[in-house]
Structures are given as C-alpha cells and as structure tokens.
Amino acid sequence: ARADFKDALLVVSGEALAAMGRPEATEALLEWARQAPAEAAPLVERWFGQVRDSQSVTRLQEAWLQPKPFRSEQIRSEIARALHDFQ
C-alpha cells in the first residue's frame, strides 16, 4: 500500500510539474528523469510531450546533449522524441 501511495504521489507531482509550462518545472522533471528507470519511459513521454515553451525546450536540448548521463537510455530516447515532436 505504501508503494502504491508513493507511485500515485510521483504521478500527481509529475503531472503538476508538466502542466506548469515553466522551465523550472521542466528542470525538476529532468532531474528526476536522469535517475529514472526504463520502466518510467511512459511517464517521461507524457510529461515531456507537454513541453511547449521555448525555455523548457532549450533545457531539454541541453540535457539531451550534455554528457551528464541518464540512468536509462530509453528515458533519453523519450526526451529526444519530445524534442522531435516539438519541432
């Protein structure tokens, strides 16, 4: 039950950050995404797919290009997909 609560809290928090449309919120999501497991790819796709402001897009581009590693290559791929969809 506790794990279910933590999962629900993660989803609600991520949804709220994604809906903000602010670069600071995108940065917070990126920090989470860097350590997220591959199983979180659907969340990354949904959340970063909502990015529409140019500053957030720039932050996604910078994160994708930086050598700072992502735990999961699948997560990195979802960020690339969000960038592609934006263009």
Side-chain angles (χ1 to χ4, degrees), residues 23-52:
E24 299 85 0
T26 299
E27 190 61 44
L29 287 172
L30 275 169
E31 285 303 312
W32 171 82
R34 284 186 178 99
Q35 55 79 35
E39 297 79 31
L43 293 175
V44 171
E45 177 184 14
R46 185 165 73 212
W47 294 341
F48 289 118
Q50 295 180 42
V51 168
R52 292 292 173 257

Side-chain angles (χ1 to χ4, degrees), residues 11-22:
V11 172
V12 169
S13 299
E15 293 290 336
L17 286 167
M20 285 182 189
R22 307 261 318 144

Side-chain angles (χ1 to χ4, degrees), residues 23-24 53-60:
E24 299 85 0
D53 66 286
S54 61
Q55 288 180 330
S56 290
V57 171
T58 298
R59 291 196 184 186
L60 288 178

